[in-house]
């Protein structure tokens, strides 16, 4: 899934291999369902999907937070946050949110556009002269809007990194310009819409050029501090997650001693991928956060708190996304994914994955409801991925409202 901004199956030496028994212990940590009449259906749908991800597909831990104007805020969780200790999964832990970071970076770019400091349809060359040049790439032919929309024609530098042995780059520091230079040596994408973390890295440099401050400082000043997102931070070169957090896991590669033929794809021996230097993702994938903070961010964005409604409409002006890179029906705006719901309408948000295994998704949808989902490993199969998306759909579409669903503005 391209939202991951990284290959889902990485070759890495086995470390901290974990036995099947922990992953199979689907420990429930769900809060009680809201007391309001009719507000239990979404809770039941979400809990069933979490249960399936853990028991059917072998994801060690899964959790969700749902906030609703009628039903209030509630959380549900299954499995474990730490295979080593067996600590139950919960929806309060921090985790790496991967490409959800792209929505934060895009929001700052659009804020600067609303202030008249960036023109979305201006060429990148205006802000970063000489940066995008060579191998047929031209900064004069790429606009800021195209960066945020993944229609720039730039390749994804992450695809180059994941072709190398993981331990050669897992703990390395990368500079943004180094990542861009790597991308410019790669072949041109063969589709008009091509998901590339490189686009967000370039957008981060545009922010720095315009404001005189790095993207990290501007996201803190313009989003994290005003919204009180105290559990969201840029880790820099820090390879450990600060504060209470879930671990993340990816399958140990062939030949590393993992058990073959396990009943569930991830129920066998796993590699702990929690410690990682995420400067390789930078403005497109480095943030650490929590479900509550992610939900608060997307609700504020949808409400017009972070950008004026006119500019939110710009962010929601979409193009078709490659279904092989996302999924059928998905469209992409400016740092936002639009995805159809089975009950009509769409949800707006973003998903993200990091190579070590954390998976996150935040979205807002009909009736002002938001959902944030976190996993401690990437869904390993197409059916598992389908159940992950079904969880999000169930959170929005379960018939648990006391009023008709209406599309948010």
């Amino acid at each position: 899934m391209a939202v991951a901004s990284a290959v889902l199956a990485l070759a890495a030496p086995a470390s901290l291999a974990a036995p099947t028994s922990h992953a199979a212990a689907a420990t429930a940590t769900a809060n009680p369902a809201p007391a309001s009449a009719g507000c239990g259906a979404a809770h039941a749908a979400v809990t069933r999907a979490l249960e399936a991800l853990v028991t059917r597909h072998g994801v060690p831990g899964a959790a969700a937070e749902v906030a609703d104007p009628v039903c209030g805020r509630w959380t549900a969780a299954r499995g474990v946050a730490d295979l080593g200790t067996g600590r139950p999964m919960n929806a309060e832990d921090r985790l790496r949110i991967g490409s959800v970071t792209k929505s934060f970076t895009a929001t700052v770019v659009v804020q600067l556009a609303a202030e008249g400091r960036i023109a979305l349809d201006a060429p990148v060359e205006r802000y970063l002269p000489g940066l995008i040049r060579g191998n047929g790439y031209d900064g004069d032919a790429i606009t800021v809007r195209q960066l945020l929309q993944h229609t720039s024609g730039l390749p994804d530098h992450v695809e180059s990194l994941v072709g190398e042995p993981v331990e050669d780059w897992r703990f390395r520091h990368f500079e943004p310009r180094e990542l861009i230079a790597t991308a410019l040596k790669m072949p041109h994408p063969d589709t008009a819409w091509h998901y590339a973390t490189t686009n967000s890295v370039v957008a981060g440099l545009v922010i720095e050029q315009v404001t005189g401050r790095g993207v990290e400082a501007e996201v803190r000043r313009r989003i994290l501090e005003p919204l009180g997102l105290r559990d969201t931070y840029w880790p820099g070169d820090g390879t450990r997650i600060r504060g209470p957090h879930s671990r993340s896991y990816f399958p140990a590669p062939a030949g590393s001693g993992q058990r073959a033929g396990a009943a569930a794809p991830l129920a066998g021996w796993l590699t702990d991928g929690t410690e990682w230097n995420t400067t390789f993702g930078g403005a497109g994938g480095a943030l650490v956060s929590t479900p509550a903070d992610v939900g608060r961010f997307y609700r504020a964005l949808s409400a017009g708190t972070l950008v004026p409604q006119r500019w939110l409409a710009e962010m929601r002006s979409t193009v078709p996304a490659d279904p092989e890179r996302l999924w059928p029906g998905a469209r992409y705006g400016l740092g936002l994914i639009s995805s159809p719901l089975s009950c009509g309408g769409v949800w707006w948000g973003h998903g993200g994955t990091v190579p070590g295994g954390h998976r996150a998704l935040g979205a807002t949808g009909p009736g002002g409801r938001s959902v944030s989902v976190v996993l401690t490993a990437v869904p390993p199969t197409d059916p598992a991925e389908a159940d992950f998306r079904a969880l999000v759909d169930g959170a929005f579409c379960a018939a648990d409202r006391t009023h008709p669903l209406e599309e948010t503005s």
Side-chain angles (χ1 to χ4, degrees):
M1 179 178 172
V3 171
S5 178
V7 171
L8 301 186
L10 294 172
S15 63
L16 302 182
T20 303
S21 57
H22 287 306
T27 305
T29 60
N31 289 351
S36 302
C39 282
H43 189 278
V46 167
T47 303
R48 283 195 302 270
L50 294 172
E51 186 80 24
L53 286 165
V54 171
T55 60
R56 186 184 309 159
H57 303 297
V59 174
E65 179 194 88
V66 179
D68 182 273
V70 174
C71 303
R73 174 188 172 273
W74 51 268
T75 67
R78 289 291 187 273
V80 295
D82 187 329
L83 286 169
T85 66
R87 180 169 63 87
M89 188 68 178
N90 67 78
E92 284 72 47
D93 278 355
R94 293 174 177 174
L95 76 154
R96 302 189 192 281
I97 61 172
S99 289
V100 175
T101 304
K102 290 176 172 64
S103 292
F104 287 77
T105 297
T107 297
V108 172
V109 173
V110 174
Q111 286 177 338
L112 291 167
E115 295 166 11
R117 302 172 69 182
I118 288 177
L120 293 179
D121 294 310
V124 173
E125 185 73 11
R126 175 185 298 182
Y127 305 102
L128 301 168
L131 178 67
I132 309 299
R133 191 170 294 169
N135 193 23
Y137 297 106
D138 182 3
D140 264 322
I142 298 172
T143 67
V144 175
R145 183 188 303 275
Q146 290 172 328
L147 293 176
L148 303 184
Q149 206 170 53
H150 297 295
T151 54
S152 69
L154 292 175
D156 190 352
H157 67 269
V158 178
E159 294 177 3
S160 176
L161 292 177
V162 297
E164 301 296 324
V166 168
E167 295 305 319
D168 286 357
W169 61 277
R170 176 175 175 176
F171 300 109
R172 268 196 59 193
H173 170 84
F174 290 93
E175 287 290 332
R177 291 175 183 268
E178 176 187 4
L179 298 172
I180 295 164
T182 295
L184 296 181
K185 296 174 184 176
M186 297 171 63
H188 288 241
D190 57 6
T191 56
W193 185 88
H194 183 78
Y195 186 89
T197 295
T198 308
N199 288 312
S200 295
V201 174
V202 177
L205 290 182
V206 172
I207 291 171
E208 180 176 354
Q209 179 64 29
V210 169
T211 66
R213 291 178 290 269
V215 61
E216 297 87 354
E218 286 299 293
V219 167
R220 279 195 299 269
R221 186 173 75 88
R222 292 169 171 269
I223 300 175
L224 307 188
E225 292 173 359
L227 296 183
L229 306 185
R230 297 178 180 85
D231 287 313
T232 305
Y233 72 94
W234 297 95
D237 282 319
T239 59
R240 296 186 176 184
I241 301 175
R242 303 197 298 259
H245 62 274
S246 59
R247 308 297 296 179
S248 64
Y249 302 94
F250 62 98
S256 60
Q258 82 276 24
R259 246 184 291 179
L266 288 183
W269 291 44
L270 298 171
T271 297
D272 189 308
T274 314
E275 278 74 47
W276 213 289
N277 185 320
T278 53
T279 54
F280 78 91
L287 278 174
V288 170
S289 190
T290 61
D293 275 10
V294 168
R296 191 175 301 124
F297 164 70
Y298 281 115
R299 290 194 299 274
L301 182 61
S302 293
T305 302
L306 293 174
V307 298
Q309 288 293 337
R310 174 206 158 189
W311 293 93
L312 179 60
E314 292 277 359
M315 295 184 75
R316 290 181 167 182
S317 177
T318 62
V319 296
D322 182 353
E324 295 299 319
R325 302 280 290 183
L326 291 183
W327 51 84
R331 297 177 65 89
Y332 206 94
L334 305 186
L336 288 177
I337 295 170
S338 164
S339 187
L341 289 166
S342 64
C343 53
V346 298
W347 62 253
W348 293 96
H350 214 290
T353 305
V354 291
H358 269 143
R359 177 72 174 278
L361 185 144
T364 58
R369 176 173 290 183
S370 70
V371 60
S372 302
V373 187
V374 298
L375 307 178
T376 58
V378 177
T381 63
D382 288 342
E385 179 63 33
D387 279 348
F388 177 75
R389 296 201 304 273
L391 187 161
V392 180
D393 191 82
F396 289 123
C397 288
D400 63 341
R401 301 301 188 100
T402 56
H403 60 82
L405 297 181
E406 296 178 357
E407 185 68 32
T408 56
S409 61

